[in-house]
């Protein structure tokens, strides 16, 4: 049963610390998305990759957030320095995409981040 | 630009009664529409999707949704609610020509009373 995995599941850190979240997409999927979920904003797209290349990161605060795909089996989302307003659940999703479309996106269980 | 509006933030039904979760969409193109469900402290699971084939879409766990272009609606229904259906439900539109990024509604919390 193929699924997206995310680590860590929970992270508590202090303001100013670096946070790295990891995602392993479903094998064979070429598109990876990062979403953030908060009570106030709901679910919002931060960034996504196609064939490991960033296609859109307009939803991401550029000064402190960075997203990469070192290889096809790993996507990372890094926050440096972290701030309390970054507290949220971060979801990774993967799917098969061509051109302007992506087929069904499969979501990981999320990383719940708390910044004190 | 695409958007979705979920008309109810919270719906409460009794077990065994029908479920109706309402969603209206806005899209310049023929949209791809989805319903996802999120159980407490869990990730999102796809219930069903519409991609311009049959307008009545059947999903998992007895859910279905009907695409009505004239009403720009994609309401989710289930004939008989089960306690395990209690969760948050998201109506979602896929951004055409935007790599397929998903645009989420604000969610509808479904409560099921015994």
């Amino acid at each position: 049963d193929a699924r997206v995995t995310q680590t860590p599941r929970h992270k508590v850190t202090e303001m100013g610390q670096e946070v790295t979240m990891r995602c392993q997409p479903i094998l064979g999927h070429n598109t990876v998305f990062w979403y953030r979920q908060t009570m106030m904003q709901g679910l919002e797209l931060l960034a996504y990759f196609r064939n490991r290349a960033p296609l859109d990161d307009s939803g991401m605060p550029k000064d402190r957030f960075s997203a990469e795909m070192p290889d096809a089996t790993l996507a990372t989302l890094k926050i440096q320095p972290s701030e309390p307003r970054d507290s949220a659940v971060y979801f990774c999703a993967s799917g098969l995409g061509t051109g302007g479309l992506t087929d069904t996106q499969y979501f990981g269980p999320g990383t719940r981040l708390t910044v004190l | 630009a695409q958007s979705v509006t979920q008309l109810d933030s919270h719906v409460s039904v009794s077990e065994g009664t029908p479920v109706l979760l309402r969603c209206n969409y806005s899209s310049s193109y023929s949209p791809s529409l989805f319903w996802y469900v999120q159980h407490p402290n869990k990730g999102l699971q796809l219930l069903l999707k519409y991609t311009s084939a049959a307008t009545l879409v059947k999903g998992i766990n007895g859910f279905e949704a009907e695409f009505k272009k004239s009403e720009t609606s994609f309401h989710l229904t289930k004939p008989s609610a089960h306690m395990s259906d209690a969760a948050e439900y998201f109506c979602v539109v896929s951004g055409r020509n935007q790599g397929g990024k998903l645009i989420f509604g604000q969610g509808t919390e479904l409560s099921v009373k015994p």
Side-chain angles (χ1 to χ4, degrees), chain A residues 28-31 33 50 94-98 101-106, chain B residues 99:
Chain A
H29 283 183
N30 65 347
T31 310
F33 299 78
R50 171 73 53 78
S94 73
L96 271 174
T98 57
L101 297 173
T102 300
D103 200 359
T104 303
Q105 291 183 30
Y106 296 87

Side-chain angles (χ1 to χ4, degrees), chain B residues 72-89:
Chain B
T72 62
S73 68
F74 190 59
H75 301 335
L76 182 70
T77 60
K78 183 173 180 177
S80 176
H82 191 271
M83 295 297 291
S84 61
D85 294 329
E88 186 101 20
Y89 291 79

Side-chain angles (χ1 to χ4, degrees), chain A residues 7-73:
Chain A
T7 57
R9 294 293 311 278
H10 302 272
K11 176 72 176 180
V12 180
T13 190
E14 292 188 346
M15 183 173 62
Q17 296 298 304
E18 177 179 300
V19 175
T20 298
M21 292 168 271
R22 294 176 175 81
C23 167
Q24 183 173 17
I26 292 173
L27 191 64
H29 283 183
N30 65 347
T31 310
V32 175
F33 299 78
W34 282 105
Y35 294 89
R36 176 170 63 184
Q37 185 178 36
T38 61
M39 289 292 292
M40 294 299 295
Q41 300 296 327
L43 273 154
E44 51 185 350
L45 178 71
L46 295 176
Y48 71 99
F49 294 76
R50 171 73 53 78
N51 298 321
R52 295 177 55 200
L55 285 192
D56 186 349
D57 61 1
S58 58
M60 212 163 61
K62 300 291 192 303
D63 55 339
R64 299 183 299 107
F65 284 61
S66 62
E68 296 179 345
M69 279 201 75
D71 60 61
T73 63

Side-chain angles (χ1 to χ4, degrees), chain A residues 33 35 37 43 45 48 50 56 91 100-105 107-108 112, chain B residues 36 38 41-44 46 49 90 95 97-102 104 106:
Chain A
F33 299 78
Y35 294 89
Q37 185 178 36
L43 273 154
L45 178 71
Y48 71 99
R50 171 73 53 78
D56 186 349
F91 287 103
L101 297 173
T102 300
D103 200 359
T104 303
Q105 291 183 30
F107 282 75
R112 182 175 296 276
Chain B
Y36 280 84
Q38 184 179 28
N41 300 313
K42 300 284 188 182
L44 290 95
L46 179 70
K49 66 178 180 180
F90 293 94
N97 295 326
Q98 298 177 58
K101 70 178 186 180
L102 299 181
F104 286 81
Q106 284 300 103

Side-chain angles (χ1 to χ4, degrees), chain A residues 61-66 78-83 85-86:
Chain A
K62 300 291 192 303
D63 55 339
R64 299 183 299 107
F65 284 61
S66 62
K78 188 176 295 186
I79 308 174
Q80 167 64 20
S82 57
E83 297 181 1
R85 60 180 167 151
D86 301 329

Side-chain angles (χ1 to χ4, degrees), chain B residues 5-54:
Chain B
T5 301
Q6 292 183 244
L7 300 174
D8 306 291
S9 59
H10 186 259
V11 170
S12 181
V13 300
S14 297
E15 190 174 21
T17 64
V19 175
L20 170 63
L21 305 183
R22 299 182 295 162
C23 172
N24 286 350
Y25 71 90
S26 172
S27 177
S28 306
Y29 307 94
S30 181
S32 294
L33 292 160
F34 308 78
W35 277 97
Y36 280 84
V37 61
Q38 184 179 28
H39 287 92
N41 300 313
K42 300 284 188 182
L44 290 95
Q45 181 184 18
L46 179 70
L47 275 180
L48 50 82
K49 66 178 180 180
Y50 166 78
T51 55
S52 74

